[in-house]
Each structure stands twice: as C-alpha cells, then as structure tokens.
Amino acid sequence: MNDLTRRDRNGITEQEFLQHYDASQYERPSVTVDMLIFTVMDKDQINYRKLPEKSLQLLLIKRGEHPYIGQWALPGGFVSVHESIEEAAQRELRSETNIDNIYMEQLFTWGDTDRDPRTRVISCSYMALVDRSALEVKAGDDADDAGWFEVTYQMFQEKRTLWEDGYEHERLMKITLSHEDDLLSATVKITEITRGRTRKIVREIVDTEGIAFDHAKIIEYAIERLRNKIEYTDIAFNLMPPRFTLSELQQVYEVVLGKELLAAAFRRKIAPMVVETNESTKDAGHRPSKLYRYNPFWNQTM
C-alpha cells in the first residue's frame, strides 16, 4: 500500500484530506530575502606612487516608501508563492547588480515577531561577494537611491562572567557605514551563553542611526561570517578581478579582517590558491609586479 491510498484514523486518504484542507486555519507570515552584497573598492588618494588603499563596501538602498522612509536598508524583497527562497534571492541579486554568476550563500533566518511594523515577516539573509569592476548598480522601483557604503566594524567593550558550569561572554560591536554625506551607525550586543554542553548566542541592537528595520543586526552577523570564512576558505577571491597582484590580494584580506598581516606568512598561506601568470602590472609610477590568477584546484587531493 502506498502513501496515497493509506487511510488515517478518520478513514480518509491523503488525496481526500488535501481536497478539504483549509490553509486559512493558520496565520501565514510573509517571507522576504535580504541581500548583503559586499565588494572591495580603492580609496581616492593623492600619492599615485603608492598602492591605493582599499575599503570593504556594502550596498544599501534608501527607502522611498513607508515604513522607515528616508532610511537606508539592505536590498531585498518579498518571496512570491510561485518561487523558492533561493530563486527570490537570485532575482533580487540580479535586479541590484545586473549580473549573474555571483558568489552567494545563505546566512541566517530572522524571525523576531516585531521586526517589521507592517506584519509578521520572516527573512532569509544571503551574502554575495562581487568584483566591483563588473557591477552596474541602480535603485529599484521602491527606492530613492542606492549606494556603496564603506564599512568599519570593531569591538569597543567586552565582559566575561564565569560560572561553575559555564560562562557568559558579552561583546559590544560598533558598525559605521559611510557614503558621501550619509553616515550611519549602530551598536550590536552579542551575548554568548554556555551552560554545560549547551551554547546560545543572542544578538541585540543597542542603538541604531539611519539603518532601517533590524538590518544592523543582520549586517553585524554577515561581517562576522565573512571574517570567519576568509580565514579558512577561498571566499576572498570572489572579491578579486581575474588578474591581481599578491599585494592587492593581501590588502583585501586585511580590509576584511580589520588587521594587518605579515607579508611572508600571508604568501605562504595563499600560495596553493594562486597561479602565477606571464603578465605584469604596467601602472605609471609603480614598479612592475607579477600578476596572478585564482587556482580553482588548490584544495583537491589526488
């Protein structure tokens, strides 16, 4: 007997059950996707003989409608009943960057009951990493503007409490986002609670200025994920052009991690991930440097 003909305790089959099923008996929340699109850009500089400094940038849109009209938010949108969450994320990514084949991964699902004043909204966040030279960004129909915001992220307060069976570790993280005349900021408290074998992490927005919804908390989570993954994966190469110098690659690692790296140790670490080409830089004012490309086979074993 297959599942379609099996009868339940009321004596009806699955087909009969579905014919009379009332979907309205449960409240249905809306589902959205929020996109965290990161890139790395060169900063403006006066001395052309130095390598341009780089900055981590995040794409935000300025809301043109209520709620949070005039504030900046992550690009995203509602998931339709005829598409998967992944399809909705791909659609939103294409609409914001105008290109396909971008690195994208699902981060987390956010479901606090009061996170959207319109209705109950559950959101799946996705992180995308892109090479800035390939992008052409434009604001969507419901946005007044779209812009790349330089990201700074640092811890400014930390407290640890020890118990007999565990500990509580509390960190206050400061996020600053700047774009032309717009300066946005937020403080997010991260509390890690460990009791015996159980571990829980709670994120809470302490204050926020100019960032809509609970997006400051989502941004903080994405930066932590990016910093963590860049240490042990090849994720950083999604931020690079097809050809690059090792100094440029190191700059990208440093701007994401928020710290300086020793050149010798860095080059030993990434040596399997890159392949030397026959090309060199030809920038005026700089000594020629060898150009490299990503090695897609770096972690394969024979």
Side-chain angles (χ1 to χ4, degrees), residues 108-142:
F108 196 75
T109 301
W110 308 87
D112 289 348
T113 56
D114 59 350
R115 58 184 307 271
D116 192 311
R118 292 170 292 188
T119 185
R120 175 73 193 279
V121 175
I122 296 172
S123 180
C124 288
S125 56
Y126 284 80
M127 177 173 68
L129 304 180
V130 293
D131 169 21
R132 177 67 181 91
S133 63
L135 291 176
E136 180 187 349
V137 174
K138 61 180 180 180
D141 294 338
D142 60 347

Side-chain angles (χ1 to χ4, degrees), residues 96-112:
E96 298 295 343
T97 64
N98 298 303
I99 56 176
D100 290 307
N101 196 28
I102 299 175
Y103 174 85
M104 184 180 74
E105 67 167 276
Q106 187 176 131
L107 290 178
F108 196 75
T109 301
W110 308 87
D112 289 348

Side-chain angles (χ1 to χ4, degrees), residues 50-273:
K50 292 184 178 180
L51 273 178
E53 294 184 10
K54 297 185 183 297
S55 66
L56 181 66
Q57 307 259 338
L58 175 67
L59 182 65
L60 297 178
I61 58 100
K62 191 172 187 179
R63 290 189 57 79
E65 299 177 354
H66 293 296
Y68 297 102
I69 188 170
Q71 294 195 30
W72 292 87
L74 296 168
F78 287 87
V79 180
S80 78
V81 295
H82 302 296
E83 64 181 348
S84 69
I85 295 176
E86 185 85 7
E87 289 169 341
Q90 292 284 1
R91 170 175 54 79
E92 288 295 334
L93 188 56
R94 282 194 302 271
S95 70
E96 298 295 343
T97 64
N98 298 303
I99 56 176
D100 290 307
N101 196 28
I102 299 175
Y103 174 85
M104 184 180 74
E105 67 167 276
Q106 187 176 131
L107 290 178
F108 196 75
T109 301
W110 308 87
D112 289 348
T113 56
D114 59 350
R115 58 184 307 271
D116 192 311
R118 292 170 292 188
T119 185
R120 175 73 193 279
V121 175
I122 296 172
S123 180
C124 288
S125 56
Y126 284 80
M127 177 173 68
L129 304 180
V130 293
D131 169 21
R132 177 67 181 91
S133 63
L135 291 176
E136 180 187 349
V137 174
K138 61 180 180 180
D141 294 338
D142 60 347
D144 277 350
D145 194 7
W148 289 102
F149 280 73
E150 181 176 350
V151 179
T152 59
Y153 175 73
Q154 60 184 352
M155 181 177 66
F156 69 93
Q157 187 173 312
E158 184 177 24
K159 182 176 70 174
R160 185 184 292 265
T161 304
L162 297 178
W163 303 312
E164 185 176 338
D165 62 342
Y167 63 88
E168 179 178 286
H169 183 200
E170 181 181 291
R171 292 179 294 146
L172 288 179
M173 307 301 298
K174 184 72 172 182
I175 303 169
T176 304
L177 305 167
S178 57
H179 167 73
E180 297 178 351
D181 295 331
D182 290 291
L183 182 63
L184 318 178
S185 64
T187 301
V188 178
K189 181 170 72 172
I190 308 168
T191 306
E192 178 184 347
I193 304 169
T194 299
R195 291 275 193 180
R197 298 180 181 178
T198 64
R199 178 173 175 265
K200 179 174 70 171
I201 296 179
V202 178
R203 283 176 165 82
E204 175 187 353
I205 298 176
V206 177
D207 59 65
T208 183
E209 182 66 36
I211 305 174
F213 302 102
D214 58 352
H215 288 184
K217 184 162 56 173
I218 302 176
I219 293 168
E220 186 281 326
Y221 183 91
I223 297 171
E224 287 279 0
R225 172 73 71 89
L226 179 57
R227 285 187 170 184
N228 182 48
K229 291 197 71 171
I230 201 175
E231 293 275 23
Y232 67 92
T233 72
D234 56 4
I235 194 172
F237 290 91
N238 295 285
L239 297 166
M240 304 302 298
R243 299 288 188 270
F244 50 84
T245 68
L246 295 185
S247 295
E248 290 171 334
L249 181 61
Q250 181 172 337
Q251 280 186 315
V252 169
Y253 271 79
E254 289 176 336
V255 75
V256 170
L257 293 171
K259 63 183 180 181
E260 292 185 2
L261 303 173
L262 293 175
F266 172 76
R267 295 191 180 200
R268 283 195 301 270
K269 176 180 178 179
I270 57 90
M273 303 182 187

Side-chain angles (χ1 to χ4, degrees), residues 16-81:
E16 292 168 337
F17 166 79
L18 292 175
Q19 286 176 344
H20 298 92
Y21 181 74
D22 180 13
S24 65
Q25 64 182 309
Y26 299 108
E27 289 187 80
R28 286 174 286 177
S30 297
V31 179
T32 64
V33 290
D34 288 317
M35 306 301 303
L36 295 113
I37 306 172
F38 288 103
T39 193
V40 171
M41 297 185 189
D42 291 340
K43 291 185 177 181
D44 293 334
Q45 65 175 36
I46 299 174
N47 189 347
Y48 72 94
R49 291 185 179 276
K50 292 184 178 180
L51 273 178
E53 294 184 10
K54 297 185 183 297
S55 66
L56 181 66
Q57 307 259 338
L58 175 67
L59 182 65
L60 297 178
I61 58 100
K62 191 172 187 179
R63 290 189 57 79
E65 299 177 354
H66 293 296
Y68 297 102
I69 188 170
Q71 294 195 30
W72 292 87
L74 296 168
F78 287 87
V79 180
S80 78
V81 295

